[in-house]
Amino acid sequence: MTAANPFDESPVPALPPGTSPAAIRDALIDEERTAFERSYRRALADEAETLDLTGVLDVLRNYHRIAWLTHRQGPEAHRRMLDKAAEIVRTGENPDGVPADEVRALIRQRLGQ
């Protein structure tokens, strides 16, 4: 019986398509692209000292989600969502929001209660 060559296949997984740092960066809108590059570079610098890629992978995972959502809904819709979130944070109110009591009443109505 021949021992398996440990170099035939690497246990280190390859990044799936669309999840490379360059692909993620290219899928982001300008405002988020800058934040991604800063976070990615900071994580790379930290990981160079610790030899632990957890921080780099966390950055890639987080920004891949944002890139996927941006691609799915389109850059303009994504930008509108960010603007809306900023307005809610700034004012503390959602002008399009529905009071919780109305939502509960609608749920009860739909459940026939």
Side-chain angles (χ1 to χ4, degrees), residues 13-58:
L15 292 174
T19 63
S20 72
I24 292 169
R25 182 198 59 222
D26 292 347
L28 297 170
I29 60 174
D30 292 342
E31 303 91 289
E32 292 174 327
R33 188 174 299 126
T34 301
F36 166 73
E37 289 173 350
R38 185 174 39 252
S39 295
Y40 182 67
R41 286 188 176 106
R42 187 177 324 117
L44 282 174
D46 291 346
E47 308 312 329
E49 296 300 318
T50 65
L51 300 179
D52 176 6
L53 290 176
T54 303
V56 170
L57 295 173
D58 286 345

Side-chain angles (χ1 to χ4, degrees), residues 83-98:
D83 291 344
K84 175 78 177 252
E87 178 184 351
I88 292 169
V89 168
R90 187 180 69 253
T91 65
E93 294 183 17
N94 180 354
D96 300 322
V98 178

